[in-house]
């Protein structure tokens, strides 16, 4: 059985760790920014310090989002494997820069470069999955790397908190650089190839399975992905999801410590569970997407749940319930991002997958605005998170409505699929 399923080792494992450590590099700042020593060393004090903290994520996501488009074209020309090596090398260097930073400006420069390096992540995975997996496996294949997307921060929240408590915030960055050098780069060098045809470990039988035509493949493969209105539904929906995700994930540790007065250990635990919840929603979404063929409907449900959890957090008098609901809100976003990446591959072809994923990655730019706006709103509200949470609820409802635009078309496709299966 394993003989004809080696693609799950050669591709799924490298891209799992690719995101596992990449997300810790990206989101670890949410834990580090709660350390008083970090704030003091970089001069993050004063009446506008929350806005300055939020600006670090803003400037990262701007460079991250813009570079997604650039890398999308590079990947379609150079290949995903070589591009992954370049990107990992860049963000490893930025981790060292971050650990050596002694001023706000220097640290901000490292975050800009990190955004450029990590801009490869979505296009690389979209391209590899498009090259290596049959379209009937897209849901499960996407879940394999999105799992790393959330398991990484879940473990990273605990690991970084322990490193900072035992050593110093500088050590956290050096640790992450070491992980990329020791794990991520070797995995892409020794396991992955650009296509299964180039890999000596792939049998003819497995290659035939990968390349088997999917009779359910629709007309979107024949036309450009930019001509399909459903791609733009996903694009706008992901703008909303990115806004919420960065807003919560960057500020959750601060919210738990400063607004709900949890100890650092409890904060790390709840933050870790937030990404474990997200992993759970990814796995559920992967299963239900392949089972029901209704990913757009799932996105509507996930956005609705996200808004509900945020509303409970905003209205609850219980600190624990509020913290858990904020964590669950992040969890629902795992399901939404799984749907996003699945549909991005579905609405493109292997030839255009890099560009389609790169353009979709541009939606992360709105996440940077979220982190900055929330910091700015906190400064105006004298540290109160309530106005920011209400803003996120509204954005979640917008995302839910946007995905509803694709439900009718999706329903027709599912009905046609069932009819074809009955005929066969």
């Amino acid at each position: 059985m394993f003989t004809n399923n080696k693609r799950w080792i050669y591709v799924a494992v490298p891209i799992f760790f690719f995101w596992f450590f990449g997300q810790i590099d990206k989101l670890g700042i949410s834990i580090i920014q709660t350390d008083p020593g970090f704030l003091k060393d970089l001069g993050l004090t004063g009446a506008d310090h929350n806005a300055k903290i939020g600006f670090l994520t803003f400037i990262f996501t701007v460079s991250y989002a813009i570079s997604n488009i650039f890398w999308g074209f590079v990947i379609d020309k150079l290949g995903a494997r070589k591009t992954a090596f370049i990107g990992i090398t860049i963000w490893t260097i930025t981790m060292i820069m971050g650990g050596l930073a002694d001023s706000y400006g220097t640290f901000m420069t490292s975050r800009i470069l990190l955004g450029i390096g990590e801009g490869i992540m979505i296009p690389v995975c979209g391209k590899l999955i498009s090259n290596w997996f049959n379209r009937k496996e897209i849901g499960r294949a996407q879940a394999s790397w999105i799992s790393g997307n959330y398991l990484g921060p879940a473990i990273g929240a605990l690991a970084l908190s322990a490193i900072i408590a035992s050593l110093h915030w500088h050590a956290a960055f050096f640790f992450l650089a070491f992980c990329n050098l020791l794990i991520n780069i070797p995995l892409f060098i020794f396991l992955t190839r650009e296509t299964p045809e180039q890999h000596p470990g792939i049998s003819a039988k497995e290659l035939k399975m990968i390349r088997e035509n999917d009779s359910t493949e629709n007309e979107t493969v024949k036309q450009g992905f930019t001509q399909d209105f459903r791609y733009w539904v996903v694009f706008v929906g992901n703008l909303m999801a990115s806004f919420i995700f960065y807003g919560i994930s960057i500020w959750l540790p601060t919210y738990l410590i400063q607004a709900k007065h949890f100890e650092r250990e409890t904060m790390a635990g709840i933050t870790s569970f937030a990404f474990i919840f997200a992993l759970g929603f990814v796995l559920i979404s992967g299963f239900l997407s392949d089972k029901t063929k209704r990913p757009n409907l799932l996105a509507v449900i996930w956005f609705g749940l996200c808004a509900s959890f945020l509303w409970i957090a905003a209205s609850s008098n219980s600190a624990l319930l509020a913290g858990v609901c904020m964590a669950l809100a992040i969890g629902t976003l795992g399901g939404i991002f799984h749907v996003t990446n699945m549909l991005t591959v579905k609405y493109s072809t292997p030839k255009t997958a890099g560009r389609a994923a790169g353009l979709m990655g541009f939606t992360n730019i709105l996440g940077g605005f979220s982190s900055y706006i929330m910091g700015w709103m906190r400064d105006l509200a004298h540290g109160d998170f309530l106005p920011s949470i209400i803003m996120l609820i509204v954005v979640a409802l917008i995302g839910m409505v946007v995905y509803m635009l694709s439900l009718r078309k999706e329903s027709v496709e599912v009905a046609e699929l069932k009819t074809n299966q009955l005929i066969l």
Side-chain angles (χ1 to χ4, degrees), residues 28 30-32 34-35 155-168 172 253 257 264-269 271-272:
S30 66
I31 298 294
I32 296 170
T34 64
D35 178 54
I155 296 177
L158 300 175
L160 294 182
S161 293
I163 291 172
I164 293 171
S166 302
L167 299 171
H168 199 272
I257 289 177
R264 176 170 289 275
E265 293 77 10
T266 307
M267 174 276 290
T271 301
S272 178

mmCIF file of all heavy atoms in Angstrom, residues 28 30-32 34-35 155-168 172 253 257 264-269 271-272:
data_model
loop_
_atom_site.group_PDB
_atom_site.id
_atom_site.type_symbol
_atom_site.label_atom_id
_atom_site.label_comp_id
_atom_site.label_asym_id
_atom_site.label_seq_id
_atom_site.Cartn_x
_atom_site.Cartn_y
_atom_site.Cartn_z
ATOM 1 N N GLY A 28 5.361 34.007 15.701
ATOM 2 C CA GLY A 28 6.033 34.001 17.000
ATOM 3 C C GLY A 28 6.148 35.379 17.609
ATOM 4 O O GLY A 28 6.260 35.522 18.828
ATOM 5 N N SER A 30 3.862 37.360 18.125
ATOM 6 C CA SER A 30 2.746 37.593 19.041
ATOM 7 C C SER A 30 3.113 37.211 20.468
ATOM 8 O O SER A 30 2.642 37.830 21.429
ATOM 9 C CB SER A 30 1.507 36.807 18.590
ATOM 10 O OG SER A 30 1.723 35.406 18.702
ATOM 11 N N ILE A 31 3.948 36.182 20.624
ATOM 12 C CA ILE A 31 4.423 35.766 21.944
ATOM 13 C C ILE A 31 5.560 36.679 22.400
ATOM 14 O O ILE A 31 5.587 37.152 23.544
ATOM 15 C CB ILE A 31 4.919 34.309 21.911
ATOM 16 C CG1 ILE A 31 3.768 33.351 21.530
ATOM 17 C CG2 ILE A 31 5.525 33.908 23.259
ATOM 18 C CD1 ILE A 31 2.661 33.273 22.538
ATOM 19 N N ILE A 32 6.485 36.950 21.503
ATOM 20 C CA ILE A 32 7.668 37.747 21.847
ATOM 21 C C ILE A 32 7.291 39.165 22.263
ATOM 22 O O ILE A 32 7.906 39.746 23.161
ATOM 23 C CB ILE A 32 8.654 37.756 20.656
ATOM 24 C CG1 ILE A 32 9.168 36.334 20.399
ATOM 25 C CG2 ILE A 32 9.825 38.702 20.921
ATOM 26 C CD1 ILE A 32 9.950 36.174 19.111
ATOM 27 N N THR A 34 4.966 40.160 24.014
ATOM 28 C CA THR A 34 4.459 40.253 25.389
ATOM 29 C C THR A 34 5.600 40.307 26.398
ATOM 30 O O THR A 34 5.359 40.515 27.590
ATOM 31 C CB THR A 34 3.557 39.041 25.738
ATOM 32 O OG1 THR A 34 4.336 37.835 25.706
ATOM 33 C CG2 THR A 34 2.405 38.915 24.752
ATOM 34 N N ASP A 35 6.845 40.140 25.933
ATOM 35 C CA ASP A 35 7.996 40.143 26.831
ATOM 36 C C ASP A 35 8.426 41.588 27.125
ATOM 37 O O ASP A 35 8.756 42.341 26.198
ATOM 38 C CB ASP A 35 9.155 39.378 26.184
ATOM 39 C CG ASP A 35 10.401 39.383 27.053
ATOM 40 O OD1 ASP A 35 10.293 38.991 28.228
ATOM 41 O OD2 ASP A 35 11.467 39.798 26.558
ATOM 42 N N ILE A 155 2.619 24.535 18.922
ATOM 43 C CA ILE A 155 3.803 24.102 19.665
ATOM 44 C C ILE A 155 4.747 25.278 19.882
ATOM 45 O O ILE A 155 5.390 25.407 20.929
ATOM 46 C CB ILE A 155 4.510 22.956 18.914
ATOM 47 C CG1 ILE A 155 3.585 21.730 18.855
ATOM 48 C CG2 ILE A 155 5.840 22.603 19.573
ATOM 49 C CD1 ILE A 155 4.140 20.574 18.073
ATOM 50 N N GLY A 156 4.811 26.166 18.882
ATOM 51 C CA GLY A 156 5.702 27.318 18.976
ATOM 52 C C GLY A 156 5.359 28.248 20.119
ATOM 53 O O GLY A 156 6.258 28.816 20.753
ATOM 54 N N ALA A 157 4.051 28.398 20.412
ATOM 55 C CA ALA A 157 3.642 29.270 21.525
ATOM 56 C C ALA A 157 4.241 28.783 22.838
ATOM 57 O O ALA A 157 4.717 29.577 23.660
ATOM 58 C CB ALA A 157 2.118 29.319 21.617
ATOM 59 N N LEU A 158 4.233 27.475 23.032
ATOM 60 C CA LEU A 158 4.791 26.900 24.263
ATOM 61 C C LEU A 158 6.310 26.963 24.248
ATOM 62 O O LEU A 158 6.944 27.321 25.255
ATOM 63 C CB LEU A 158 4.324 25.443 24.410
ATOM 64 C CG LEU A 158 2.802 25.226 24.482
ATOM 65 C CD1 LEU A 158 2.488 23.729 24.497
ATOM 66 C CD2 LEU A 158 2.218 25.909 25.711
ATOM 67 N N ALA A 159 6.912 26.615 23.099
ATOM 68 C CA ALA A 159 8.374 26.577 23.002
ATOM 69 C C ALA A 159 8.981 27.968 23.164
ATOM 70 O O ALA A 159 9.952 28.143 23.913
ATOM 71 C CB ALA A 159 8.791 25.967 21.659
ATOM 72 N N LEU A 160 8.427 28.958 22.468
ATOM 73 C CA LEU A 160 8.974 30.308 22.550
ATOM 74 C C LEU A 160 8.799 30.902 23.941
ATOM 75 O O LEU A 160 9.683 31.607 24.437
ATOM 76 C CB LEU A 160 8.323 31.206 21.505
ATOM 77 C CG LEU A 160 8.617 30.869 20.035
ATOM 78 C CD1 LEU A 160 7.937 31.866 19.115
ATOM 79 C CD2 LEU A 160 10.106 30.829 19.761
ATOM 80 N N SER A 161 7.663 30.619 24.571
ATOM 81 C CA SER A 161 7.442 31.112 25.939
ATOM 82 C C SER A 161 8.486 30.527 26.885
ATOM 83 O O SER A 161 9.032 31.227 27.748
ATOM 84 C CB SER A 161 6.035 30.739 26.421
ATOM 85 O OG SER A 161 5.051 31.430 25.682
ATOM 86 N N ALA A 162 8.793 29.242 26.705
ATOM 87 C CA ALA A 162 9.786 28.588 27.559
ATOM 88 C C ALA A 162 11.185 29.133 27.303
ATOM 89 O O ALA A 162 11.965 29.355 28.240
ATOM 90 C CB ALA A 162 9.751 27.081 27.321
ATOM 91 N N ILE A 163 11.515 29.370 26.016
ATOM 92 C CA ILE A 163 12.839 29.890 25.668
ATOM 93 C C ILE A 163 13.031 31.297 26.234
ATOM 94 O O ILE A 163 14.077 31.613 26.806
ATOM 95 C CB ILE A 163 13.027 29.896 24.136
ATOM 96 C CG1 ILE A 163 13.125 28.458 23.609
ATOM 97 C CG2 ILE A 163 14.289 30.673 23.751
ATOM 98 C CD1 ILE A 163 13.115 28.367 22.096
ATOM 99 N N ILE A 164 12.009 32.138 26.084
ATOM 100 C CA ILE A 164 12.103 33.509 26.594
ATOM 101 C C ILE A 164 12.231 33.518 28.108
ATOM 102 O O ILE A 164 13.020 34.281 28.687
ATOM 103 C CB ILE A 164 10.881 34.336 26.152
ATOM 104 C CG1 ILE A 164 10.907 34.524 24.626
ATOM 105 C CG2 ILE A 164 10.857 35.697 26.846
ATOM 106 C CD1 ILE A 164 9.641 35.148 24.064
ATOM 107 N N ALA A 165 11.455 32.646 28.778
ATOM 108 C CA ALA A 165 11.491 32.594 30.239
ATOM 109 C C ALA A 165 12.836 32.076 30.743
ATOM 110 O O ALA A 165 13.353 32.526 31.776
ATOM 111 C CB ALA A 165 10.362 31.705 30.760
ATOM 112 N N SER A 166 13.426 31.128 30.006
ATOM 113 C CA SER A 166 14.680 30.510 30.448
ATOM 114 C C SER A 166 15.908 31.291 30.002
ATOM 115 O O SER A 166 16.912 31.342 30.723
ATOM 116 C CB SER A 166 14.770 29.080 29.912
ATOM 117 O OG SER A 166 13.675 28.309 30.342
ATOM 118 N N LEU A 167 15.846 31.897 28.817
ATOM 119 C CA LEU A 167 17.013 32.578 28.263
ATOM 120 C C LEU A 167 16.711 34.061 28.032
ATOM 121 O O LEU A 167 16.750 34.858 28.943
ATOM 122 C CB LEU A 167 17.440 31.888 26.963
ATOM 123 C CG LEU A 167 17.848 30.406 27.111
ATOM 124 C CD1 LEU A 167 18.037 29.760 25.743
ATOM 125 C CD2 LEU A 167 19.113 30.285 27.947
ATOM 126 N N HIS A 168 16.384 34.389 26.788
ATOM 127 C CA HIS A 168 16.127 35.783 26.422
ATOM 128 C C HIS A 168 15.373 35.770 25.109
ATOM 129 O O HIS A 168 15.381 34.771 24.378
ATOM 130 C CB HIS A 168 17.452 36.541 26.282
ATOM 131 C CG HIS A 168 17.311 38.027 26.352
ATOM 132 N ND1 HIS A 168 17.049 38.799 25.246
ATOM 133 C CD2 HIS A 168 17.382 38.892 27.396
ATOM 134 C CE1 HIS A 168 16.973 40.078 25.598
ATOM 135 N NE2 HIS A 168 17.170 40.161 26.900
ATOM 136 N N ALA A 172 15.124 33.128 21.043
ATOM 137 C CA ALA A 172 13.987 32.581 20.306
ATOM 138 C C ALA A 172 14.226 32.658 18.798
ATOM 139 O O ALA A 172 13.934 31.715 18.054
ATOM 140 C CB ALA A 172 12.710 33.337 20.685
ATOM 141 N N PRO A 253 -2.234 36.777 22.546
ATOM 142 C CA PRO A 253 -1.453 36.690 23.790
ATOM 143 C C PRO A 253 -1.533 37.969 24.628
ATOM 144 O O PRO A 253 -1.655 37.908 25.861
ATOM 145 C CB PRO A 253 -0.024 36.439 23.290
ATOM 146 C CG PRO A 253 -0.205 35.772 21.962
ATOM 147 C CD PRO A 253 -1.400 36.465 21.369
ATOM 148 N N ILE A 257 -3.216 38.382 28.471
ATOM 149 C CA ILE A 257 -2.428 38.877 29.611
ATOM 150 C C ILE A 257 -2.953 40.216 30.121
ATOM 151 O O ILE A 257 -3.181 40.399 31.324
ATOM 152 C CB ILE A 257 -0.942 39.004 29.225
ATOM 153 C CG1 ILE A 257 -0.316 37.613 29.070
ATOM 154 C CG2 ILE A 257 -0.170 39.793 30.288
ATOM 155 C CD1 ILE A 257 1.133 37.632 28.627
ATOM 156 N N ARG A 264 1.440 34.111 32.329
ATOM 157 C CA ARG A 264 2.085 33.785 31.061
ATOM 158 C C ARG A 264 1.889 32.317 30.676
ATOM 159 O O ARG A 264 1.678 31.993 29.508
ATOM 160 C CB ARG A 264 3.574 34.120 31.136
ATOM 161 C CG ARG A 264 4.363 33.726 29.886
ATOM 162 C CD ARG A 264 5.763 34.300 29.905
ATOM 163 N NE ARG A 264 5.737 35.744 29.707
ATOM 164 C CZ ARG A 264 5.703 36.315 28.504
ATOM 165 N NH1 ARG A 264 5.676 35.576 27.406
ATOM 166 N NH2 ARG A 264 5.702 37.619 28.398
ATOM 167 N N GLU A 265 1.944 31.409 31.644
ATOM 168 C CA GLU A 265 1.792 29.991 31.350
ATOM 169 C C GLU A 265 0.391 29.693 30.805
ATOM 170 O O GLU A 265 0.232 28.922 29.847
ATOM 171 C CB GLU A 265 2.045 29.143 32.603
ATOM 172 C CG GLU A 265 3.478 29.168 33.116
ATOM 173 C CD GLU A 265 3.810 30.457 33.866
ATOM 174 O OE1 GLU A 265 2.877 31.259 34.153
ATOM 175 O OE2 GLU A 265 5.000 30.675 34.165
ATOM 176 N N THR A 266 -0.634 30.300 31.416
ATOM 177 C CA THR A 266 -2.004 30.098 30.944
ATOM 178 C C THR A 266 -2.188 30.712 29.566
ATOM 179 O O THR A 266 -2.858 30.147 28.687
ATOM 180 C CB THR A 266 -3.010 30.716 31.929
ATOM 181 O OG1 THR A 266 -2.760 30.210 33.236
ATOM 182 C CG2 THR A 266 -4.436 30.382 31.523
ATOM 183 N N MET A 267 -1.597 31.897 29.369
ATOM 184 C CA MET A 267 -1.660 32.542 28.063
ATOM 185 C C MET A 267 -1.092 31.640 26.984
ATOM 186 O O MET A 267 -1.693 31.443 25.923
ATOM 187 C CB MET A 267 -0.887 33.860 28.093
ATOM 188 C CG MET A 267 -0.744 34.565 26.738
ATOM 189 S SD MET A 267 0.651 33.957 25.715
ATOM 190 C CE MET A 267 2.049 34.568 26.646
ATOM 191 N N ALA A 268 0.075 31.065 27.252
ATOM 192 C CA ALA A 268 0.718 30.196 26.267
ATOM 193 C C ALA A 268 -0.151 28.975 25.981
ATOM 194 O O ALA A 268 -0.252 28.527 24.831
ATOM 195 C CB ALA A 268 2.093 29.766 26.772
ATOM 196 N N GLY A 269 -0.797 28.446 27.025
ATOM 197 C CA GLY A 269 -1.649 27.276 26.840
ATOM 198 C C GLY A 269 -2.863 27.573 25.973
ATOM 199 O O GLY A 269 -3.181 26.806 25.049
ATOM 200 N N THR A 271 -3.231 30.087 23.853
ATOM 201 C CA THR A 271 -2.746 30.407 22.506
ATOM 202 C C THR A 271 -2.412 29.137 21.738
ATOM 203 O O THR A 271 -2.725 29.008 20.546
ATOM 204 C CB THR A 271 -1.500 31.309 22.580
ATOM 205 O OG1 THR A 271 -1.819 32.513 23.282
ATOM 206 C CG2 THR A 271 -1.004 31.667 21.182
ATOM 207 N N SER A 272 -1.793 28.181 22.419
ATOM 208 C CA SER A 272 -1.477 26.910 21.791
ATOM 209 C C SER A 272 -2.748 26.179 21.367
ATOM 210 O O SER A 272 -2.844 25.656 20.248
ATOM 211 C CB SER A 272 -0.664 26.038 22.751
ATOM 212 O OG SER A 272 -0.385 24.779 22.183
#
